[in-house]
Amino acid sequence: MRRRLLHILILLFTTTFIQAQQPKRHNTSQIYESIQKLNFLGSVLYIAAHPDDENTRLISYMSNQLHARTGYLSLTRGDGGQNLIGPEIRELLGVIRTQELLAARRIDGGEQFFTRANDFGYSKHPDETLAIWNKEDVLSDVVLAIRKFKPDVIINRFDYKNPGSTHGHHTSSAMLSMEAFDISNDASKFQNQLKNIEVWQAKRLFFNTSWWFYGSREKFNKADKSKMLSFDVGVYYPQKGLSNNELASIASSQHLSQGFGRLSQRGTQPEYIEFLKGEFPSDESNIFSDVDTSWNRVKGGNAIGEILNSIEDNFNFKDPSIHLNDLIKAYQLISSIEDTHWKTIKTKELKSIIETCAGLYLEASATTPALSPNSEVKINIEVLKRSQAKIKLQALTLSTINKTLNPSENLENNKKYTYEISGIIPSNINYTNAYWLNKKGTLGMYNVDDQNLIGLPETERALHVNFSIDFNGYSIDFQEDVIYRYSKPDKGELYRPFEIIPEASAKILEKVIIFDTDKQKDIQVIVKSGRDNLEGFVQIAHPKGWSIYPEKQNIQISHKGETQTIVFTVIPPKNQSEGLITPMVHVDDEIYTRELVEINYDHIPFQTVLLPSESKIVRLDIKKKGDNIGYIIGAGDVVPESLRHIGYNVVTIKPEDINAETLSRFDAIVVGIRAYNTVENLQYKQQELFDYVAQGGNMIVQYNTSYRLKVEHIAPYELKLSRDRVTDENAEVKFLNPEHPILNFPNKVTQQDFEGWTQERGLYFPDKWAKEFTPILSMHDKGESAKKGSLLVAKHGRGYYIYTGLSFFREFPAGVSGAYRLFANMLSIGKDNINLESKIND
Ligand SMILES: [Zn+2]
C-alpha cells in the first residue's frame, strides 16, 4: 500500500512548470498598453495553413505597434508534422501544436483560430488538398471566421497563384481566403451561419510577400512595388524593453515540437504586403487607411472615447487605481452600446483593465487536479484588493454546480480574504477533452457540428467561479477558471487546469501486436481509476476468428489515479487476418472504452486527451530467411523494434564498431532513415560496408535526402537521390519485374500487399541509377510521371545492395502486413542459393 501511495505521489508531482497557467499579473506598463489597445477599434486577420506558418513579426507589429486586434487563422492544427520533443504524433501532436500557437499568441498579443481541416500530411497540390479536405466545409469555416472576427484587413501568408510551388495546404489557404473575402458579405452564402452572426465585408486583402517568393533578394529588389505597403517590423518598444522582431522570435520559438527554438533578431527590418483585393488604401503608409479606428466608429462611442483617451493621455503609472471611477463610467457606457460585436470585445478588455487597476487578485483553486463526475469538489478562493479603491465583494458562484456564497464584504486594502466552496460534480458534465476529438473525423476533416465551437482554439473549462464585485454601487462580474495550484521543490509554484476525468480509462500497452505465427501472445491492459474504490470488470472486444481469454477479469482499485495491470491471452487465427481490439471497463452500469493520455511539457499547459482505446492485431502470413540483422541507426525510427516483433534478432551497431568482423556476424545490415544525413562517421565506413556486400552480405538502405548528404557515394554504383515522392498512400503500384526474387521469395508479393498503407508510399526516391540496379516497382501521384526509384536492387559481388525510399518506418508501426512481407523478402534475398548449397553439402 505504501508503495502504491508513493507511486501516486510521484505521478502527481512529476508535473512540470506551466507558466502558461500562472494567473495574469500586469504591471502598470502592461495596463497602459491595454488601454492603448482599448482605444483602437480596428482588426487584422492573418491566414495560413499550419502552426508555425505565421509571420510572428507581422502579427506582433499589428498587435503591439498598431494596437490592432490581430487574429491568426491556421486552417489546420498541424497533426501531420513531426514531433521533435516527444512521442506524440497525429491528433496528439495537433493538441501540442494548438497549445504552442496559443503560447506564441500570449507573447505576440494575437488571438488564435482554426478551421475543421485536418493536416493529413504532405500534399503536393491544392487540387489534392481540397479533395481530401471537404472544400465547402473549410471554405465555410474561413467565411465563419471572417464573419465572427470581422477583420478590416486580411493578410494571406501564401501566394494564391502558382499551385504546386509549395505545400498544397499553403496554396489552398490563400485560395480559400481569396474566395471567402468575396462571399462573406453575401447572405445567400452559408446561410445557416447567419442565425446568430452577421455578414461581413473586409476592407482589403493583402499577401505577405517577401524576397523568398521571388527566388532571390536581387529579383525582389527590382520587383514592382507600386502595389505594396511596407513597414519596419524591427521597431523598438521602450515599455517592453524589446524590439518587435525580438518579441516575434520569442513567440515563434514556442513551436518547439517543430524545432523552432531560435536566436532573436533586432534592428530595422522591412516587411512587405502586396495589395490583392478590396479598396486600395488612400494613405499607403496605413493599412487601416479609410477605416475609422477610433471610438467614433461605433454609435455612442464618442463619449466613451473622450473618457478613455483622457485616461491614456494622463495615465498614472504610480497608482492606476485613481482611474477607476472613469473606467467604470466608460464600462457603463460600453455596456449600453448597440453594436454587440465591439461591445463584447471592449467589455472584456476593459474588465481586465479594471481588475488590474483595482489591484484585484481573484483565484479559485481546487484541492485536487482532477475529479470524475459525482465526486465532491472543494475549491479554495482567494480575494485581495491592493489599492485604496472602495470595493465590495458581493457574491461568489461556482458555475455548473450553482453554489453561491454571499460574503457582502467591504474589501480592505491588501487584506487577504479566503472562502471555500464545495459541491458534487454533476453526472452529466462533459469530460475535459479537445472538443474536435470527441467524434471520429475523416482523413481530411475533424467532425464538429456546433457552430459555437468551430474555430475556437480549445475547449472552455467546465468549472469556473464568478466573482460579483461592487464598485461604488456598480456591479461587475469577473470569471476565473478553477485551477490546481501546488509547488515542487525543484520547480517552484505550479499551476495546471482543473480537469474532469472519467471514472475509469484503459489502454493496451502495445498499439500494434503482430503475430508472425499462430502462437498465442499475452497482452497487458492497464486500467486507470478516476475515483477512489473503483470496482468492476474488463472485457476485450475483438474481431471474429480471434480468441481472447479469460473472457472477463475483475478489477479493484483503491485510490484515484492508481492503475491496475491485467493480462489477457490472444490466440490468432491460422491465416492472415487483422483487426482492432478495445478494452471495455464495466463499472456499475457504465462501460468505459477510452484511453486517457497526458501531455506534459514546460512550454505549454498540462493537457489530457481522451481517445478511443484501440490496438491493432495482425496475423501475418510471413516466411523469413536469415535471423541476425545489424541496424545502423539514423535520424531515429522504430524499424528495429518492428523487426524484432516478427522474430528477427536485431542488434544496433554504432558507426565506430563497423568493421569486417562485426559485419560478418549478420545476415543483413539495415541502415536507418536519413543515416547518411545525420551520422557524420558513416563517410569513413562506406567501403567496409560495400566490401561486406561484395563478400555475400545483404545491405538495405532506407531513405535519405540529397541535401546535406555526408557521403560522396551512397551506393557501390551510381545512384542519384531526388525529391520524387508519392504522397498518395493508395497510389497504384506496378510490378516492373514480376519475376524478380524480391517479389517472390520467400513470400509471394501481390497487389494485396500494397493495400492499407498509411500516409504515403515513400519519399526522396532516386531518379537516376547505374545499370547494375534493377528497379522493381513503379508508382506515381495523380497527374505525375511514373516514379521507378522506390525500390532498387543491385547485385554487388556475391551479395546485394538495396536502396528503398518506401516508407517502411511509417508502415511498420501501423501494422501494415504487406510492408512486413516485402521487407522480409528484402532481408532474404540471395538466401535461397545459400540454403540450396548447404542442402547439397548435407
Ligand atoms: Zn506550413
Side-chain angles (χ1 to χ4, degrees), residues 48-54 72 76 97 119 158 166-167 169-170:
H50 305 120
D52 79 17
D53 284 347
E54 82 277 21
Y72 171 38
T76 76
R97 298 187 71 187
D119 176 8
F158 296 103
T166 173
H167 200 317
H169 299 177
H170 292 166

Side-chain angles (χ1 to χ4, degrees), residues 786-807:
K787 307 285 180 273
K788 298 181 179 176
S790 66
L791 178 57
L792 298 165
V793 186
K795 181 111 203 235
H796 179 59
R798 290 192 283 135
Y800 287 87
Y801 174 95
I802 299 174
Y803 189 91
T804 182
L806 293 171
S807 295

Side-chain angles (χ1 to χ4, degrees), residues 623-626 648 738-749 821-836 839:
K623 298 185 195 77
K624 306 185 297 269
K625 295 286 169 195
Y648 284 105
E739 304 307 320
H740 198 282
I742 212 157
L743 293 176
N744 293 284
F745 177 80
N747 302 290
K748 173 86 187 161
V749 172
R821 285 161 45 85
L822 178 58
F823 209 87
N825 281 12
M826 288 156 59
L827 291 167
S828 307
I829 194 165
K831 306 277 190 267
D832 47 348
N833 297 337
I834 293 167
N835 284 353
L836 276 177
K839 268 187 188 149

Side-chain angles (χ1 to χ4, degrees), residues 683-700:
Q683 56 184 315
Y684 311 115
K685 300 293 180 178
Q686 276 300 72
Q687 199 48 53
E688 306 215 44
L689 286 163
F690 296 157
D691 289 348
Y692 156 80
V693 175
Q695 280 150 31
N698 185 355
M699 178 177 179
I700 298 167

Side-chain angles (χ1 to χ4, degrees), residues 514-518 574-577 618-625 642-643 645-648 745-749 753 812 816-828:
I514 306 236
F515 296 79
D516 57 318
T517 67
D518 59 5
K574 289 263 174 271
N575 300 319
Q576 189 146 322
S577 164
V618 182
R619 166 71 173 102
L620 259 182
D621 179 11
I622 192 168
K623 298 185 195 77
K624 306 185 297 269
K625 295 286 169 195
S642 303
L643 294 175
H645 286 155
I646 57 166
Y648 284 105
F745 177 80
N747 302 290
K748 173 86 187 161
V749 172
D753 292 303
F812 286 169
V816 177
S817 47
Y820 279 100
R821 285 161 45 85
L822 178 58
F823 209 87
N825 281 12
M826 288 156 59
L827 291 167
S828 307

